[in-house]
Amino acid sequence: STQQRFLLSLLTLGMHYCFLLYQQITTNNSIMVRSITSLLIVAFSAAARTNAFVSPMQQSPTRIPSSSITHRNNNGPLPAKDANMSEEERDAAMEKALKAMTAFSNKYVQNTNTYYCEDQSVPAVVIKGLAEHKVTLGTPLCPCRFYEDKEKEAKDGYWNCPCVPMRERHECHCMLFLTEDNDFAGTEQNISIDDVKKNCGF
C-alpha cells in the first residue's frame, strides 16, 4: 500500500541519515552526542525490523494464504514461487531457505573478511528477509530496499545478494557484511541458525 511504501522509505532514510550523522561526528569528543545518535540508529533499526523487513503475511496475526501473493511485471501479475504451496510446504521451504542463507552468509563473511553487526539482530533480520525472497522469488533479493517490481529486479540480478555494490566495493546496504573499519562492525564472523530464529521470533 501507499502507506507501507511511505513508511519503508521513511525508515530507510532515517537509518541512513543517522548512520551518516554518526560518521560525521566520530571525531567529536562529545560522548553524549554520539550516544544519542547511536540510540536513534537502534530505534530506527527496531522499527525497521517490525515493518520494513517483515513481509505482509508476518505483520498480520492472520496469515495471508501464499496463493494470494503475487509479483508484477510489465505483462501483469505473476504468481509467487510459493503460490501453490500448502502452509506446511511453505514452512518447510522457509526453514530450508533460512538454513541455506545462514550458511551462505557465514561463508561470505569469512571469504570477504567482513564482520556481522555487533547487534546480531541486524544480520538475523536481513538473513530472514533473504530467505523470504528465496522462497517467494527463487533468489535472495536484497530485503532492505523498496522495489516497484520485485520479479524484474530478481531477474536483473543487480540487488541479488551479494549485490553488485557489495561485490565491487564491499558496500552492504543492509549492513549484513561490514568491513572492519565500520563503526557498527562486531567481532563475529558466524551466526547460528538458532540465533537467527531467536532474533527474528521465527
Side-chain angles (χ1 to χ4, degrees):
S1 69
T2 302
Q3 184 178 8
Q4 288 175 323
R5 293 179 182 179
F6 173 77
L7 179 59
L8 176 58
S9 299
L10 181 62
L11 289 170
T12 302
L13 287 173
M15 289 176 67
H16 283 279
Y17 173 79
C18 289
F19 181 65
L20 290 173
L21 178 61
Y22 186 93
Q23 287 184 315
Q24 289 294 322
I25 63 175
T26 51
T27 57
N28 192 315
N29 291 326
S30 174
I31 297 177
M32 180 175 293
V33 174
R34 295 182 64 178
S35 298
I36 291 174
T37 308
S38 297
L39 288 174
L40 286 172
I41 294 171
V42 172
F44 275 112
S45 297
R49 287 199 294 273
T50 57
N51 292 283
F53 297 115
V54 181
S55 66
M57 73 177 68
Q58 293 168 313
Q59 290 178 13
S60 173
T62 303
R63 185 165 185 151
I64 301 174
S66 299
S67 57
S68 68
I69 304 172
T70 60
H71 303 287
R72 303 190 66 86
N73 67 4
N74 294 332
N75 298 319
L78 289 173
K81 299 295 183 183
D82 60 339
N84 297 319
M85 292 182 185
S86 66
E87 185 171 327
E88 291 74 18
E89 289 173 333
R90 189 189 185 283
D91 287 342
M94 183 60 191
E95 177 77 17
K96 180 179 179 180
L98 200 65
K99 290 180 179 178
M101 295 317 303
T102 300
F104 156 76
S105 298
N106 286 335
K107 185 70 173 178
Y108 195 77
V109 160
Q110 295 169 18
N111 288 345
T112 56
N113 197 30
T114 52
Y115 298 86
Y116 289 128
C117 180
E118 58 186 351
D119 177 0
Q120 286 217 326
S121 64
V122 174
V125 169
V126 177
I127 290 171
K128 183 181 180 182
L130 291 171
E132 282 281 359
H133 281 166
K134 185 73 173 174
V135 172
T136 59
L137 297 171
T139 189
L141 183 68
C142 171
C144 312
R145 304 181 64 84
F146 169 74
Y147 308 98
E148 288 288 348
D149 188 335
K150 285 188 177 183
E151 188 82 16
K152 180 180 178 181
E153 292 290 349
K155 290 180 179 178
D156 179 65
Y158 187 91
W159 291 112
N160 290 344
C161 188
C163 63
V164 173
M166 180 60 204
R167 295 198 302 266
E168 293 184 349
R169 303 184 296 276
H170 280 192
E171 294 177 1
C172 181
H173 174 84
C174 290
M175 294 180 67
L176 176 58
F177 308 117
L178 302 177
T179 54
E180 189 175 11
D181 59 349
N182 189 292
D183 291 325
F184 300 99
T187 58
E188 293 295 329
Q189 290 185 306
N190 185 81
I191 185 169
S192 69
I193 184 67
D194 289 336
D195 283 336
V196 171
K197 290 181 176 180
K198 180 178 67 176
N199 281 289
C200 294
F202 185 81

